[in-house]
Amino acid sequence: MNLGKRCEKVMTQLIEFLSELFYNIRILDFIDIAIVAFAFHKIIGLIKETRAEQLIKGIIFLLLATQLSEWLGLYTINWILKNTMTMGVIALLVVFQPELRRALEHIGRSRFFSKGLIEKQKAEPHKVIDEIIKAVQMLSKNKTGALIVMERETGLGDVIETGIKMDAIVSGELLLNIFIPNTPLHDGAMIIREDRIKASGCFLPLTENPNLSKQVGTRHRAGLGITENSDAVVVVVSEETGVISMAVEGKLSRYLDIQSLRQILVNMLSEKEPKPLQFNLFKWRNKND
């Protein structure tokens, strides 16, 4: 009987506790939790497979070690760890500078702030795409290397400054002439803004992705690098094989044919709110596909 009464009392207290807990929860609390969860999800996505991921693991280890040293009464170690963590806040801002910049740029490129490419320019994007496709087809056929960067919402003014300024209307013939081998502009990147070639022979940052295949050359690594720091769309033509590739948002799609490239460019550049490529477009494909 005593055991039954005790169980009944415990259940009553548990029910009262849960009732009071849920009674005091407001709708704003659910919204608050959802926002925090969404923010953590985005942060994890930004640091995944980057150097910051390893640093986060190290920070978690230091926090656990600090708490453990306090529980065990290791006061000297605890004092050192606490002071290290305090000074480490400033160091984190320096170490995480690329990730913080990328996060702020990602926020700035959100649909709330962005304007569509059609609203941004008066020229028809289809005409620009047709000229690019015409040039890429010939470049691929002749196995002429090319690196074409199409600016979207994120300005690439700092990249343009590294090359030779042109400000010329996009045309297939001009693209072919720029990427002719053994010319001054052949090895650099071309920057296209709206319907104009703003510069050629530009230097791009190389990707920091450690999981990239060693078979991918410098031209492809540069194309990936600029898409990790901006929302640009990059078309790469291999000098060795003539294979057409595309880089967007730090992902690389290889072995594209002309029809696929045209459709992707139309989808990426003609929408009022540019949509990212579907995930399966970025899976590595074999030549037999």
Side-chain angles (χ1 to χ4, degrees), residues 94-112:
V94 178
V95 173
F96 284 114
Q97 187 269 339
E99 284 74 20
L100 291 172
R101 177 181 175 181
R102 185 169 60 176
L104 293 174
E105 288 178 345
H106 182 76
I107 294 172
R109 295 198 306 264
S110 63
R111 293 183 177 182
F112 181 78

Side-chain angles (χ1 to χ4, degrees), residues 18 45-46 52 66 86-87 95 112 116 125 136 139 145 168 171 180 191 198 207 209 213 233 244 257 260 273 284-285:
L18 293 175
L46 287 171
T66 303
T86 302
M87 293 184 294
V95 173
F112 181 78
V136 169
L139 291 167
S171 69
I180 290 176
I191 310 298
K198 300 302 293 184
T207 179
N209 186 354
S213 172
V233 177
I244 302 171
D257 54 38
S260 299
E273 293 182 351
W284 291 87
R285 303 195 301 178

Side-chain angles (χ1 to χ4, degrees), residues 41-54:
H41 173 72
K42 287 295 184 181
I43 291 172
I44 292 172
L46 287 171
I47 67 174
K48 188 178 180 181
E49 297 182 352
T50 64
R51 292 177 300 174
E53 184 178 7
Q54 304 303 321

Side-chain angles (χ1 to χ4, degrees), residues 64-169:
L64 294 175
T66 303
Q67 190 61 48
L68 184 62
S69 64
E70 184 176 350
W71 288 343
L72 297 176
L74 305 174
Y75 301 114
T76 304
I77 295 177
N78 183 259
W79 181 84
I80 293 173
L81 290 174
K82 281 187 175 179
N83 282 275
T84 301
M85 294 297 293
T86 302
M87 293 184 294
V89 173
I90 299 175
L92 285 176
L93 294 176
V94 178
V95 173
F96 284 114
Q97 187 269 339
E99 284 74 20
L100 291 172
R101 177 181 175 181
R102 185 169 60 176
L104 293 174
E105 288 178 345
H106 182 76
I107 294 172
R109 295 198 306 264
S110 63
R111 293 183 177 182
F112 181 78
F113 297 102
S114 64
K115 293 183 179 179
L117 193 65
I118 291 179
E119 298 174 0
K120 187 179 176 182
Q121 65 179 38
K122 295 180 180 180
E124 286 290 336
H126 288 278
K127 294 181 180 179
V128 177
I129 293 171
D130 288 341
E131 295 297 325
I132 293 173
I133 290 296
K134 181 168 63 175
V136 169
Q137 189 171 16
M138 291 300 299
L139 291 167
S140 176
K141 181 179 178 181
N142 298 329
K143 294 184 179 180
T144 302
L147 182 55
I148 304 171
V149 181
M150 284 154 278
E151 182 187 83
R152 292 204 287 174
E153 294 298 326
T154 304
L156 300 178
D158 53 339
V159 178
I160 292 172
E161 293 296 328
T162 66
I164 306 299
K165 295 183 180 180
M166 298 183 63
D167 195 26
I169 295 176

Side-chain angles (χ1 to χ4, degrees), residues 183-222:
T183 58
L185 304 180
H186 167 66
D187 288 328
M190 173 188 293
I191 310 298
I192 296 178
R193 175 184 293 168
E194 300 178 5
D195 63 340
R196 306 190 75 83
I197 301 173
K198 300 302 293 184
S200 294
C202 299
F203 294 96
L204 303 182
L206 298 181
T207 179
E208 298 179 359
N209 186 354
N211 302 318
L212 196 62
S213 172
K214 293 181 180 179
Q215 297 179 353
V216 177
T218 304
R219 188 176 280 110
H220 292 80
R221 293 178 182 272

